[in-house]
Amino acid sequence: MFGGIHLYAQKKDTLHGSTVKDSLKPDFVARMQAFAKLSSKNSAEEFDADKAAIVQVKTFDQIKLTMQKAKIYLRRNLDTAGPRQDLKEIERDFIIAGDGVFTNTGSAQTFRNLTTTSKILTELLNIANAGKLVLDTRQQDLNSFRYQLDSLLSVPALFKFPKDSVTLMKYLQKIKVVAYETTPIDSSLKVAANNIQTLLNQVNMTVFKLQGSLDEIAAYQKDMARDTYKREFDNIWAPPAYYRPFGEILEFSKTKGLLTLGFYAENNSGKLMMLVLLTVISFVYLRSLKNIYIENKLLKTDFDGQLVLRYPLFSAILIVVSLFQFFFISPPFILNVIFWTVSCVCLTIIFNKYVNKYWMRVWLMMVVLFIITAIVNLVLQASRIERWFMLIISILGLVVGLITLIKGRREELREKWIIWSIAFMVLLEFVAIIANVFGRYNLAKTLFISGFMNVVIAIVFLWTVRLINEGLFLAFNVYSGQDRKLFYLNFEKVGKKAPVLFYVLLVIGWVVLFGRNFPAFNYLSAPLQNFFIQDRTLGGYTFSIYNLVLFLAIMLISVIVSKVVSFFASDGQPGTSKDNKQERQGIGSWLLLVRISILCIGLFLAIAAAGIPVDRITIVLGALGVGIGFGLQTLVNNLVSGLIIAFEKPVNVGDIVDIDGQGGRMKSIGFRSSIISNWDGADVVMPNGDLLNAHLINWSLGGNRKRMSVMIGVAYDSDLEKCRQILTGILDNDPRINKNPGPVVQFEQFSNSAIDLRIYFWTKHIADIPATRSDLIVAIAGAFKANGIVIPFPQQDIYIHTPEKPDSENRGL
């Protein structure tokens, strides 16, 4: 309407050139303008009301969803009884750990008690920090729920009420229901947050107390390391300044020792399981090696040079425990005692009736003295009874050591280094006696245990090196495969003498175990530890030397384990029976998958242990993809083909195959290539891609059978039916020929000089074909000769015709 009026006015002005007075009344225009404003306002208010209604519905839904999540969280994650019980246990263990350090201190601290208490408090601090982290997370979650509810309940759209009275009453009723449901949830969240905060305050106080106690112990240990030669007590004959019942000392020492062992075993359960697994693997290896020597009649009755095979189980335990104990970082002394005792027992059993009686008695005496001193070292607080006992045992060890050095039959020793360890023990025990008598208790106790431990650990390590060398050397002697450099050692040059590297590692291990007994060892080794564990930054990547070494060590172990599996699963052992050979071929069929699994597990463990971020792995994979695209297609093709062969198994290790004219037996299936031993004795290395794409003939898939035929010619006057009977009898009597399908005798053709017949037969094994064919020819020739059947040789008769001369040629001129 307003547009029409506007056009009409334009038209009037154009035609008449003058302004005509508006015929509409002014009040009408004002009313229309007011109506437009009112309509616009009402439309805007209706739009806002609709928009607010939509927001209100969404907000109410979000409030209900948040309340449901809060209810579930309150029901599942507000168990404060567990953290409170943990706090009680921490407080109880703290009291036990503090005995002899913070309470019942006596007149001086002892190094072993401080070390044990420090280990317990460290574990308790880790437990408290873990609980603190859980409580912090719960506190944040509760505050987050409260914040979400408060934010939703403060949405401005909720306070825009409908103008319609009926709708308003319904909306108010809805708000009332939401408020009724929200109030108890909000109260529960508030109460739970307060409870968590109270419990968190207690945990923080516990953490502070534990950290303070550890700092105090560290100060004690630092002073003790600095004042190694300081007198702690009066002379041994002087009256004690402090007395505590010895039975009470033993009881709290036992409690603290078991508590430390329990904490450490729980934190290192994976390593303990690995220890057991490695022991089982080593035992299986040594037992298999012993069986090979028994089958080949190579085992000596006196086990000279073969001692590792005498008791495979005890040899495996001794070797694994002696080596694997270094993977346990800062173990409690009681765990070391268990390891060393187990090693001593195993070595004693191995020595029985192998070492002469004199040195066996010396060894047993050293073991007994070591176990006694180890038990004494588990006593954590000093007492006059313990000092006198230490003095007596030290004197006994000194006497035994001197007698052994003076009258010992050194020429009978197989490991000459043992005599040096005994001499060192005599020196340490002599100094321990002097220190004990004049009140240097910590020094005396350290030297007391170190002297006997030095001898036992030296003997155990020397014989462990000897047994390892024997095990590798004996395996090398009976292995005839192609991978003789498996262990990266030239055993042809080493022989029965262990490599120098083994003895270097032995000395390092001995120094570590020996040094752990001294208070100053931790401070002297701290710079080296910091060098390995200190974080370093290269670009955007943070790493430590320890993580890199750990990564390389795990990967190296994985590679060696995979090679060991390949080494002993291959079928190169001489003198083995057919059943054992077939069994090893069965193992070899799965060998590639086993090796791939070992390497993949090792890779993931190495990545996890080194803490390498996943995004770095994706970068490496991306770079590898680019490399594959540019120039590694052939390599990747061979690797993928190896996986396909491993899973589909068109050919297995030990199968008899023909591949493009290359016939032989599958010797191994590797990652990139496979090896075929042909009938001439050579090893043909064939890439897996070529193997998979070639026309492969696998005789073993058909049961190692092959049909053969032999052509025979008999004279024309031979009795053919009799020939058939003779041949059938020969074929039926040969055990190498299958009876189902049975052999067939067929007459082929009339040749120039004989009637040709052919015999068809199936051999039970393809390997028997040459010998079977040869024996059949000999048997057939003999049978035909005995029965008067002639096997003609090719012959041809030549007739010469001489023509007669004509009469004219016979007449003269």
Side-chain angles (χ1 to χ4, degrees), residues 96-367:
I96 295 174
D99 195 350
V101 178
F102 307 117
T103 60
N104 301 318
T105 55
S107 56
Q109 299 287 356
T110 65
F111 170 67
R112 187 62 61 192
N113 195 20
L114 289 175
T115 304
T116 304
T117 302
S118 176
K119 293 181 182 299
I120 295 176
L121 294 184
T122 301
E123 294 298 331
L124 295 179
L125 181 61
N126 292 335
I127 295 174
N129 283 327
K132 180 178 180 299
L133 180 62
V134 172
L135 292 177
D136 283 335
T137 304
R138 292 182 181 178
Q139 183 78 337
Q140 292 175 5
D141 292 340
L142 292 174
N143 292 333
S144 176
F145 281 123
R146 293 190 63 194
Y147 176 78
Q148 291 178 22
L149 287 176
D150 292 341
S151 299
L152 292 173
L153 292 174
S154 301
V155 173
L158 295 180
F159 301 98
K160 291 186 177 182
F161 300 106
K163 294 182 177 180
D164 182 66
S165 59
V166 177
T167 307
L168 178 61
M169 293 303 297
K170 291 182 179 180
Y171 180 70
L172 293 177
Q173 186 68 27
K174 191 173 184 180
I175 289 180
K176 183 178 179 181
V177 172
V178 171
Y180 178 79
E181 293 177 348
T182 307
T183 301
I185 298 296
D186 185 67
S187 300
S188 299
L189 290 173
K190 186 182 297 184
V191 172
N194 292 333
N195 292 336
I196 294 295
Q197 185 61 50
T198 302
L199 192 57
L200 190 58
N201 294 335
Q202 297 177 4
V203 173
N204 287 331
M205 290 299 297
T206 301
V207 169
F208 178 77
K209 180 172 67 174
L210 291 171
Q211 189 61 58
S213 300
L214 283 172
D215 293 339
E216 186 176 353
I217 291 175
Y220 286 148
Q221 290 176 328
K222 186 176 182 179
D223 294 339
M224 189 173 294
R226 186 180 62 249
D227 302 328
T228 302
Y229 305 102
K230 182 180 179 181
R231 175 194 289 264
E232 297 98 354
F233 303 102
D234 293 332
N235 297 336
I236 195 169
W237 55 80
Y242 173 82
Y243 176 76
R244 186 179 184 184
F246 188 67
E248 187 177 330
I249 294 176
L250 291 179
E251 183 61 29
F252 96 82
S253 298
K254 182 187 75 172
T255 304
K256 291 178 72 170
L258 295 177
L259 185 62
T260 308
L261 180 62
F263 280 141
Y264 195 84
E266 183 178 356
N267 294 333
N268 295 270
S269 57
K271 291 182 180 179
L272 293 173
M273 293 177 62
M274 182 64 68
L275 175 66
V276 175
L277 179 60
L278 289 176
T279 302
V280 173
I281 294 174
S282 301
F283 166 65
V284 172
Y285 153 59
L286 292 177
R287 187 184 62 178
S288 302
L289 192 59
K290 184 177 181 180
N291 291 336
I292 293 173
Y293 269 76
I294 292 174
E295 291 173 3
N296 297 330
K297 298 180 180 180
L298 299 174
L299 199 64
K300 301 178 183 178
T301 56
D302 59 352
F303 291 95
D304 184 31
Q306 302 174 348
L307 187 61
V308 69
L309 303 180
R310 186 182 185 190
Y311 300 108
L313 177 60
F314 297 110
S315 297
I317 295 174
L318 174 63
I319 293 172
V320 173
V321 170
S322 298
L323 298 182
F324 198 77
Q325 62 177 312
F326 293 100
F327 286 88
F328 292 91
I329 306 301
S330 186
F333 183 75
I334 187 172
L335 182 62
N336 285 330
V337 172
I338 294 174
F339 285 154
W340 297 332
T341 303
V342 170
S343 298
C344 290
V345 171
C346 292
L347 191 56
T348 302
I349 296 173
I350 295 173
F351 278 166
N352 186 31
K353 296 181 181 179
Y354 181 78
V355 177
N356 63 55
K357 293 183 179 180
Y358 174 80
W359 285 108
M360 188 66 180
R361 286 195 297 267
V362 173
W363 163 249
L364 291 176
M365 180 64 70
M366 293 299 172
V367 170

Side-chain angles (χ1 to χ4, degrees), residues 425-436:
M425 182 265 300
V426 170
L427 176 62
L428 293 179
E429 294 305 320
F430 176 75
V431 179
I433 293 171
I434 302 300
N436 189 10

Side-chain angles (χ1 to χ4, degrees), residues 666-677:
M666 289 299 302
K667 189 172 184 179
S668 66
I669 301 174
F671 292 106
R672 188 196 65 84
S673 61
S674 299
I675 299 176
I676 304 171
S677 294

